[in-house]
């Protein structure tokens, strides 16, 4: 199938914003006005094309990034609608990695909200050119110019309006296009399909004049030819203005700002024009760089006849076609039925079918050309971040960085029959989502799943029940406590058992001593004179180690002890390895219980990054969780709070931190050391442990 649009007329763009800013509503209008869909799906009705998952339709939020392709003014627009909730930031991360441009959406009432800052920083990380669309101008309290000021102040962008609103709230009637210098109105009877352009009234001309002047000045000062015309008093044409805005946007020198109301069908066509006019095509950006297999850096120019280089940025399981690998082709042409190299894993794979995605619907194609986005069936060994390339000239593209999970829960199948189904389902879900991790705790034998937040894991559990038909229960993972003793003591233990034949006899004298935290376990043989034959010494150590693993007091592993075998005796006939193991186990348990045992808990080191105004609340909350503040540092306008806190008191911390900081704080944590649990808390922990073991 020949290429439908030249690469210079391809736009790979995404829509990013804080939750409930109207991304999906805007995407639905784009699909309608470009002819991709013949009806407008509304989020509040659960009928949005791009929110196709059951969980998205029920909650009215975007959970997974949905891709589609549409056409506007002879250009092919590959559009990705990304989630706004912080729990699904991975979807934004992997989308921005492969996009050429992005539309930042802002609520005209809410302005720059917490997640707006997060996604903006992600776009800066990948150096993606941006334009802004101030949505919901029909809402009470809408203030376009306040949002422009917030974009400049909070995001550090050179925000330059290219359209301004005519009225606001219930009085919002249309927009003024500062580039074409005209008023644009929308007829609600045809859902805004045919915008009506009219000359500016005297009042509109007076209001828009300073903003048009601002646009011309900010763009002209970046271009020598335009600045000369400007100072000479010559008129700068619309075509010159468009070219200059486009160039400045690509270089991140300005950020064009538009306005409208997607829900009221106003301003979306001008946004489409801006996508085509100002955001880059694949050939407008530098060639993608990667490394040869020997580590040397190389580049790939976006050409259909070049060497194939594509990045797998998303994995999805489809109940009809199986595993789908979403790819962005940077160079060359990916053809169905051919063999390619997964250079990241060094595996040769066959390309099955190629699909162009429209949310959850598919259109089969023969080829995916340079600069395009599509899905591949057949690359079963490929995972997110892998490079797919030609075998003759391999390249490894830069992979995608994903944040570490911050919250965990333990899951258990409700029946034994579901155990294998649960493991298979978790493996498939983990393939789709790199921020969803699954592990089995070797101590507690819990299956522990980790994700980016409570909503993230709630969606995972819902999908397990609905898609994979696995009934599960969930709860906080059991904390991996430890036991130790604080007082050394000696125990003299004799094990004697007479049966019909040979009996069992062993006698050991053990001294059990505490070690410093982190020193582990030490076994010392101090038997003299052969009182215990040397062949039985390993059995004594094995008996001690087995009891330490099971726990001698509360049922948790014992750490940081030294066991000295100082004396004992044996019987020529009745002594055996088994007898000495049993005897050593009994002796160690008695000595441990006499040694004032102590429960230890894992303590985590934390680094919490928070805006300065919330630092007091954050430190107070940590102290309320039995944590200790170790220090505070400044980073730009944020505080970094360094603390240590018991792991048992950190379950649910992610949600609480977001609530107290308006979602603007983040944290990392890692294991630091074990510390003694306060006695009153230790009693409760031990009681719960005994109840669980007796069930």
């Amino acid at each position: 199938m020949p290429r439908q649009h030249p690469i210079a007329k391809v736009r790979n763009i995404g829509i990013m914003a804080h939750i409930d800013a109207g991304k999906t509503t805007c995407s639905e209008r784009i699909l309608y006005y470009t002819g991709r869909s013949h009806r407008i799906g509304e989020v509040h009705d659960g009928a949005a094309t791009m929110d196709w998952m059951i969980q998205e339709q029920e909650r009215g939020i975007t959970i997974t990034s949905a891709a589609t392709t549409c056409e506007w003014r002879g250009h092919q627009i590959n559009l990705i609608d990304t989630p706004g909730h912080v729990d699904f930031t991975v979807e934004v991360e992997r989308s921005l990695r492969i996009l050429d441009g992005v539309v930042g959406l802002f609520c005209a009432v809410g302005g720059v909200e917490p997640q707006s800052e997060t996604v903006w920083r992600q776009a800066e990380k990948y150096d993606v050119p941006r334009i802004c669309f101030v949505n919901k101008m029909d809402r009470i309290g809408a203030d376009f110019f306040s949002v422009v000021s917030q974009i400049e102040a909070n995001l550090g962008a050179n925000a330059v309006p290219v359209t301004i609103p005519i009225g606001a709230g219930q009085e919002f009637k249309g927009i003024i296009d500062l580039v074409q210098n005209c008023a644009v109105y929308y007829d609600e009877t045809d859902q805004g399909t045919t915008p009506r352009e009219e000359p500016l009234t005297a009042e509109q001309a007076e209001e828009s004049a300073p903003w048009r002047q601002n646009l011309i000045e900010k763009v002209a000062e970046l271009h020598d030819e335009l600045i000369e015309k400007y100072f000479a008093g010559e008129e700068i044409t619309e075509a010159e203005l468009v070219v200059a805005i486009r160039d400045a946007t690509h270089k991140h020198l300005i950020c064009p700002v538009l306005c409208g109301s997607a829900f009221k069908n106003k301003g979306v066509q001008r946004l489409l024009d801006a996508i085509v006019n100002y955001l880059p095509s694949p050939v407008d950006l530098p060639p993608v760089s990667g490394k040869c297999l020997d580590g040397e850096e190389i580049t790939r120019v976006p050409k259909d006849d070049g060497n194939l280089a594509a990045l797998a940025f998303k994995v999805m399981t489809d109940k009809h076609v199986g595993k789908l690998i979403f790819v962005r082709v940077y160079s060359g042409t990916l053809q169905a039925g051919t063999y390619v190299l997964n250079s990241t894993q060094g595996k040769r794979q066959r390309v099955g079918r190629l699909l162009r995605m429209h949310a959850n619907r598919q259109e089969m194609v023969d080829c995916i050309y340079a600069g395009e986005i599509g899905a591949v069936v057949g690359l079963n060994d490929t995972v997110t971040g892998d490079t797919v390339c030609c075998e003759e000239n391999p390249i490894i593209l830069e992979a995608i960085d994903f944040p570490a999970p911050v919250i965990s829960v333990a899951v258990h199948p409700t029946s034994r029959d579901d155990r294998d189904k649960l493991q298979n389902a978790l493996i498939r879900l983990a393939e789709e989502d790199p921020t969803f991790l699954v592990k089995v705790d070797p101590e507690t034998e819990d299956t522990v799943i980790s994700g980016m937040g409570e909503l993230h894991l709630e969606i995972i559990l819902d999908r397990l029940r609905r898609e994979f038909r696995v009934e599960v229960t969930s709860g906080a993972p059991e904390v991996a406590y430890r036991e130790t003793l604080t007082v050394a003591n000696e125990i003299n233990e004799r094990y004697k058992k007479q049966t019909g034949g040979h009996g069992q006899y062993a006698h050991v004298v053990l001294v059990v001593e505490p070690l410093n935290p982190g020193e582990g376990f030490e076994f010392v043989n101090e038997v003299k004179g052969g009182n215990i034959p040397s062949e039985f010494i390993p059995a004594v150590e094995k008996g001690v180690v087995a009891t330490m693993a099971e726990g001698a007091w509360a049922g948790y592993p014992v750490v940081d002890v030294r066991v000295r075998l100082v004396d004992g005796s044996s019987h020529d006939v009745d002594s055996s390895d088994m007898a000495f193991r049993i005897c050593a186990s009994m002796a160690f348990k008695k000595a441990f219980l006499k040694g004032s045992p102590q429960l230890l808990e894992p303590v985590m080191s934390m680094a919490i990054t928070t805006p300065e105004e919330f630092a007091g609340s954050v430190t107070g909350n940590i102290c309320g969780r039995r944590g200790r503040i170790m220090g505070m540092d400044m980073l730009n306008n944020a505080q970094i709070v360094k603390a240590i806190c018991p792991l048992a008191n950190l379950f649910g911390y992610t949600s609480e931190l977001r609530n107290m900081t308006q979602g603007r704080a983040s944290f990392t944590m890692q294991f630091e050391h074990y510390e003694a649990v306060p006695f009153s808390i230790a009693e409760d922990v031990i009681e719960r442990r005994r109840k669980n073991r007796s069930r």
Side-chain angles (χ1 to χ4, degrees), residues 93-107:
E93 188 82 22
R94 58 176 159 201
S95 298
L96 288 173
R97 170 65 178 83
I98 55 91
L99 292 172
D100 300 327
V102 70
V103 177
L105 217 68
F106 300 90
C107 173

Side-chain angles (χ1 to χ4, degrees), residues 348-460:
R348 187 173 186 252
Q349 295 180 292
R350 186 179 183 275
V351 177
R353 287 180 286 168
L354 296 177
L355 306 170
R356 184 171 286 146
M357 299 300 295
H358 303 293
N360 63 331
R361 298 192 297 274
Q362 300 123 12
E363 173 191 345
M364 198 176 300
V365 294
D366 298 325
C367 303
I368 302 175
Y369 296 97
E372 293 187 337
I373 295 169
V376 188
V377 180
L379 305 182
N380 291 329
D381 293 329
T382 298
V383 297
T384 301
D386 283 358
T387 300
V388 175
C389 61
C390 55
E391 298 178 85
E392 304 79 33
N393 294 285
I395 184 175
I396 300 177
L397 301 174
E398 183 183 352
I400 309 171
D401 291 327
F402 294 111
V406 296
I407 188 171
S408 302
V409 299
V411 294
H412 308 278
T414 55
S415 67
R416 291 189 175 184
D417 295 339
D418 281 342
R419 193 169 296 168
D420 291 338
K421 286 169 63 179
L422 174 63
Q423 293 304 318
N424 292 333
L426 291 175
I427 290 169
R428 288 171 65 182
L429 289 170
E431 282 183 342
E432 291 185 18
D433 187 349
T435 59
F436 172 63
L437 300 183
V438 182
K439 67 177 182 179
V440 177
D441 191 313
E443 293 179 21
T444 64
E445 296 185 356
D446 281 346
T447 298
V448 179
I449 61 174
S450 305
M452 298 305 297
E454 292 177 1
L455 179 60
H456 185 195
L457 294 184
E458 181 188 322
I459 298 297
I460 292 288

Side-chain angles (χ1 to χ4, degrees), residues 75-127:
H75 290 70
Q76 176 182 326
I77 299 176
N78 299 316
L79 172 69
I80 294 182
D81 175 28
T82 65
H85 197 286
V86 65
D87 281 16
F88 308 107
T89 186
V90 59
E91 296 290 341
V92 184
E93 188 82 22
R94 58 176 159 201
S95 298
L96 288 173
R97 170 65 178 83
I98 55 91
L99 292 172
D100 300 327
V102 70
V103 177
L105 217 68
F106 300 90
C107 173
V109 179
V112 176
E113 297 171 280
Q115 189 65 3
S116 310
E117 298 179 31
T118 303
V119 296
W120 195 270
R121 287 197 297 268
Q122 288 174 296
E124 286 181 335
K125 171 183 172 182
Y126 292 109
D127 206 30

Side-chain angles (χ1 to χ4, degrees), residues 2 62 97 109 112 176 179 183 234 464 479 580 586 599 689:
T62 301
R97 170 65 178 83
V109 179
V112 176
I176 295 175
V179 177
E234 298 179 29
L464 282 173
V479 174
F580 273 97
M586 294 166 58
L599 194 65
R689 178 75 165 180

Side-chain angles (χ1 to χ4, degrees), residues 204-471:
Q204 291 170 345
E206 183 180 352
E207 181 188 354
S208 65
W211 290 104
R212 178 171 166 82
Q213 188 73 8
N214 172 70
L215 170 63
I216 292 171
E217 286 178 1
K218 285 200 171 183
V219 172
E221 68 184 14
L222 303 172
H223 297 81
D224 293 339
E225 293 179 10
L226 294 189
I227 200 71
E228 289 178 11
K229 290 187 71 173
Y230 177 74
F231 283 125
E234 298 179 29
E235 182 71 24
I236 296 176
T237 66
E238 178 189 330
E240 289 174 325
L241 209 49
V242 169
V243 170
I245 294 171
R246 177 182 178 82
D247 183 54
T249 303
H250 293 186
K251 294 176 180 176
H252 305 279
L253 298 174
I254 69 167
C255 186
V257 185
L258 300 95
C259 63
S261 168
F263 183 63
K264 294 293 186 180
N265 309 311
K266 295 176 181 177
V268 178
Q269 289 97 328
R270 276 318 195 259
L271 175 61
L272 281 164
D273 289 339
I275 290 170
V276 166
N277 290 339
Y278 307 139
L279 289 179
S281 72
V283 294
D284 294 321
L285 298 173
V288 66
S289 61
K291 292 184 178 180
C292 297
L293 299 183
D294 61 6
E296 182 184 347
E297 190 160 317
I298 53 174
T299 59
R300 289 282 190 267
V301 177
K303 297 190 301 183
D304 293 343
D305 57 354
N307 293 314
L308 177 65
L311 183 72
F313 68 94
K314 180 180 172 75
V315 176
M316 190 177 89
T317 302
D318 185 279
K319 62 182 178 181
H320 300 297
V321 298
K323 188 174 176 181
L324 285 175
I325 308 295
F326 284 70
V327 296
R328 158 71 193 267
V329 178
Y330 286 96
S331 172
T333 302
L334 189 62
Q335 294 182 307
T338 59
Y339 282 91
V340 294
L341 176 69
N342 181 328
S343 55
T344 308
Q345 300 188 32
K347 292 182 178 179
R348 187 173 186 252
Q349 295 180 292
R350 186 179 183 275
V351 177
R353 287 180 286 168
L354 296 177
L355 306 170
R356 184 171 286 146
M357 299 300 295
H358 303 293
N360 63 331
R361 298 192 297 274
Q362 300 123 12
E363 173 191 345
M364 198 176 300
V365 294
D366 298 325
C367 303
I368 302 175
Y369 296 97
E372 293 187 337
I373 295 169
V376 188
V377 180
L379 305 182
N380 291 329
D381 293 329
T382 298
V383 297
T384 301
D386 283 358
T387 300
V388 175
C389 61
C390 55
E391 298 178 85
E392 304 79 33
N393 294 285
I395 184 175
I396 300 177
L397 301 174
E398 183 183 352
I400 309 171
D401 291 327
F402 294 111
V406 296
I407 188 171
S408 302
V409 299
V411 294
H412 308 278
T414 55
S415 67
R416 291 189 175 184
D417 295 339
D418 281 342
R419 193 169 296 168
D420 291 338
K421 286 169 63 179
L422 174 63
Q423 293 304 318
N424 292 333
L426 291 175
I427 290 169
R428 288 171 65 182
L429 289 170
E431 282 183 342
E432 291 185 18
D433 187 349
T435 59
F436 172 63
L437 300 183
V438 182
K439 67 177 182 179
V440 177
D441 191 313
E443 293 179 21
T444 64
E445 296 185 356
D446 281 346
T447 298
V448 179
I449 61 174
S450 305
M452 298 305 297
E454 292 177 1
L455 179 60
H456 185 195
L457 294 184
E458 181 188 322
I459 298 297
I460 292 288
L461 293 173
D462 192 47
R463 292 186 64 190
L464 282 173
R465 297 181 183 109
R466 293 196 190 197
E467 290 180 34
F468 299 97
R469 309 292 184 192
V470 180
E471 286 300 320

